[in-house]
Amino acid sequence: MPELPDVAGFQAYFEDHAVGNTIEHVTVLDSRVLTDVTPQSLGKRLHNAQVTTTNRHGKYLFVGTSADNGWLVLHFGMTGYLEHYQENEDPPKQTNVIFTFTNGAHIAYVNQRRLGEVTWADTVATFVEARELGPDALSDTLSPRQFADRLAHHRGMLKSALMNQSIVAGMGNEWADETLFQCGLPPKTSLANLKPDDCEQIARTAQRILRTGMRARCKSRPLPKHYLNAHRHKDDKCPKCGTDLTTVKVAGRTTFYCPKCQQ
DNA sequence: CGGGCCTCCTGGTAGC
DNA sequence: TGCTACCAGGAGGCCC
């Protein structure tokens, strides 16, 4: 579930609660969320480290500190989120990792289904390369034209391509559906049926809605009323025309769409 | 290369 | 009421 807009929200949250603060220790409650690090190595790297900066690429959040040249990396899978709490409070249920600061506050990495990870990267660039991630969907240097070109180098279904992190990083099921909805395209639209200009329009729409989504998540404002996002429920209706929404499996994912607006 | 399916993982819920 | 089966989906792996 956490896609680019949500992770951008987590980034702002981490910034607000941690930048300038020093990590006293790291408590790993479930080491299954760790990849390529042990609780010991993670603890050692972050002990007495002051959080200096954060970064994001697609659905990955990076946390930089003064103590090491590397980055703490957080991925949220489908159910992950962060929660800040004070010294005298208990961590949320399903907490997997706790970052405790010298001021007594904590940030919990919570992930009920554990389809995410906590890991380490020497640099953001090497991590992005190692994981074969495409450019971030909202990168300043990714024009709609370039975004479209990357889509056009693939065949198959548009939705698959939008969710493929190696093409462009950041979109998941929900925002891919939003893109298709805002473009008025049926869920099973194939890239073979799209012209370069269509792809550019899709890219432009994708970037626009992700930007809007990001602002909404970072400032906890509701999304525009004509967005599909808040209506992804059984028996809900199209926010544009009121028609009953339909679901279909595309690329293995439940796809919500309006049978009238998306033909 | 793309699609389909499986795995990981847990809690909510539909159905018997 | 209580059990089981299924579903949610990000991502990697496997086979066709």
Side-chain angles (χ1 to χ4, degrees), chain A residues 56-101:
Chain A
R56 185 192 58 71
H57 190 103
K59 304 175 191 175
Y60 290 88
L61 172 58
F62 299 84
V63 177
T65 72
S66 59
D68 198 297
N69 288 327
W71 298 75
L72 166 69
V73 186
L74 303 175
H75 186 274
F76 299 91
M78 154 185 188
T79 53
Y81 64 96
L82 297 173
E83 192 149 319
H84 175 260
Y85 62 100
Q86 294 302 332
E87 195 166 13
N88 55 350
E89 296 175 313
D90 292 328
K93 285 177 186 173
Q94 323 291 355
T95 294
N96 294 303
V97 182
I98 302 167
F99 303 97
T100 300
F101 296 90

Side-chain angles (χ1 to χ4, degrees), chain A residues 183-247:
Chain A
C183 291
L185 294 168
K188 293 195 176 178
T189 299
S190 171
L191 281 165
N193 298 331
L194 296 168
K195 294 175 182 133
D197 282 354
D198 299 328
C199 286
E200 189 165 340
Q201 193 50 44
I202 291 161
R204 212 177 286 281
T205 303
Q207 290 187 316
R208 177 170 49 77
I209 64 168
L210 284 173
R211 223 170 263 126
T212 304
M214 186 171 86
R215 280 193 220 106
R217 293 290 188 265
C218 291
K219 291 165 185 162
S220 56
R221 289 202 201 112
L223 286 167
K225 285 206 169 61
H226 64 283
Y227 272 41
L228 175 70
N229 194 276
H231 301 272
R232 299 174 53 81
H233 306 288
K234 214 180 165 216
D235 302 328
D236 210 332
K237 296 179 190 313
C238 171
K240 287 184 179 173
C241 75
T243 300
D244 287 344
L245 293 174
T246 306
T247 60

Side-chain angles (χ1 to χ4, degrees), chain A residues 135-221:
Chain A
D136 183 80
L138 292 185
S139 163
D140 291 338
T141 57
L142 182 70
S143 67
R145 182 71 258 162
Q146 289 168 313
F147 191 146
D149 282 346
R150 295 182 70 87
L151 288 176
H153 280 108
H154 291 259
R155 296 168 220 279
M157 282 188 258
L158 170 62
K159 179 163 176 179
S160 289
L162 288 172
M163 292 194 300
N164 185 337
Q165 303 301 297
S166 70
I167 299 177
V168 169
M171 269 217 179
N173 192 38
E174 292 190 5
W175 290 92
D177 277 6
E178 189 72 53
T179 304
L180 293 168
F181 178 69
Q182 298 301 341
C183 291
L185 294 168
K188 293 195 176 178
T189 299
S190 171
L191 281 165
N193 298 331
L194 296 168
K195 294 175 182 133
D197 282 354
D198 299 328
C199 286
E200 189 165 340
Q201 193 50 44
I202 291 161
R204 212 177 286 281
T205 303
Q207 290 187 316
R208 177 170 49 77
I209 64 168
L210 284 173
R211 223 170 263 126
T212 304
M214 186 171 86
R215 280 193 220 106
R217 293 290 188 265
C218 291
K219 291 165 185 162
S220 56
R221 289 202 201 112

Side-chain angles (χ1 to χ4, degrees), chain A residues 25-40:
Chain A
H25 59 267
V26 180
T27 309
V28 177
L29 298 177
D30 191 330
S31 57
R32 283 179 293 179
V33 297
L34 303 184
T35 49
D36 302 329
V37 283
T38 63
Q40 291 74 25

